[in-house]
């Protein structure tokens, strides 16, 4: 066996062990908000012209960027590329950053130009992240979301993510807020590369609009950590778009804060951005 093949074998065994640990931990969760209470992949409802929907991004939005999950995820992507495509770290970094900037999601470029199986990629990258060692129930965030729903100014709170559903649901379960939402629009890794759509593609927003039953973008609120995504929300006419910018850190690949966006340091500061929803 060559050294390269030996490293690849060790990589796959390490990922398999982590996946088994992650599944075991997920099955043990029993804290408040650890169970998903909304239907997944439900039938598209009839649109309601009066319905108000608040769309929530997940990664680096519902939890703080300072958790360093983004950095851990990026290293997981690089490890995958180096082992599966048999390339060095520098080439892997170039591919990852280039596709991420071009398509909003690296896996789309990997599907298009390298024949990568998106579901296998998701398993080896996102599903293998040791999130249970990083994320804990966020009682302050839970209280904010609970108050938002109880005030009744919004008809639905809706998850809107570029992640696949496995990762998205795992995050909100770990945070103890899985029961604070009415549904989810996620990036479907089970489709062909030419059908894979994600933010900031307007088709992704249209998908979220249809799946949530939103009748008009003018009745939508949207929060995300990506300036590009927030800019698209504003361009589509969403009522208010909020960007989470922690400690003045703006990821240039994700875009600067667009004109017209509201800015908060943490998702828990949401009542300051849209006080009308908490009256």
């Amino acid at each position: 066996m060559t050294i390269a093949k030996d490293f690849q074998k060790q990589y796959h065994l390490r990922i398999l062990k982590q996946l088994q640990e992650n599944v075991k931990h997920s099955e043990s969760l029993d804290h408040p908000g650890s169970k998903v209470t909304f239907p997944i992949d439900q039938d598209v409802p009839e649109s309601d012209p009066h319905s108000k929907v608040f769309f929530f991004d997940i990664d680096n939005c519902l939890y703080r960027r300072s958790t360093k999950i983004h950095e851990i995820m990026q290293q997981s992507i690089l490890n995958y590329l180096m082992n599966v495509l048999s390339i060095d770290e520098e080439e892997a970094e170039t591919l990852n950053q280039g596709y991420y900037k071009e398509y909003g999601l690296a896996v789309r470029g990997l599907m298009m130009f390298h024949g990568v199986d998106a579901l296998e990629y998701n398993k080896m990258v996102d599903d293998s992240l040791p999130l249970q060692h990083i994320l804990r129930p966020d009682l302050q965030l839970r209280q904010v979301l609970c108050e938002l729903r109880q005030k009744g100014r919004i008809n639905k709170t809706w998850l809107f993510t570029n992640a696949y559903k496995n990762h998205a649901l795992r995050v909100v379960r770990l945070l103890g807020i899985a029961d604070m939402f009415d549904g989810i629009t996620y990036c479907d890794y089970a489709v062909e590369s030419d059908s894979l759509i994600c933010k900031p593609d307007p088709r992704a927003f249209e998908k979220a609009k249809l799946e949530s039953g939103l009748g008009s973008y003018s009745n939508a609120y949207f929060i995300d950590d990506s300036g590009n995504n927030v800019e698209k929300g504003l361009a589509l006419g969403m009522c208010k778009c909020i960007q989470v910018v922690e400690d003045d850190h703006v990821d240039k690949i994700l875009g600067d804060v667009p004109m017209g966006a509201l800015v908060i340091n943490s998702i828990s500061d949401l009542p300051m951005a849209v006080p009308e929803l908490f009256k």
Side-chain angles (χ1 to χ4, degrees), residues 2 14 16 65 72 100-102 105 111-112 119 126 135 150 165 172 175 183-184 191 193 212 228 231 243 258 260 264:
T2 65
R14 185 173 69 252
L16 178 60
R65 187 184 183 90
I72 296 171
Y100 189 57
K101 185 175 182 179
E102 179 71 20
L105 205 59
M111 291 172 69
M112 294 169 63
L119 290 176
D126 287 7
L135 298 178
Q150 288 178 345
K165 58 184 175 181
V172 293
L175 290 172
I184 180 173
V191 301
S193 61
S212 66
N228 294 333
E231 184 175 32
Q243 186 169 344
I264 58 176

Side-chain angles (χ1 to χ4, degrees), residues 92-110:
E93 179 71 29
T94 299
L95 284 179
N96 180 36
Q97 294 296 327
Y99 291 150
Y100 189 57
K101 185 175 182 179
E102 179 71 20
Y103 302 110
L105 205 59
V107 69
R108 187 178 180 195
L110 295 172

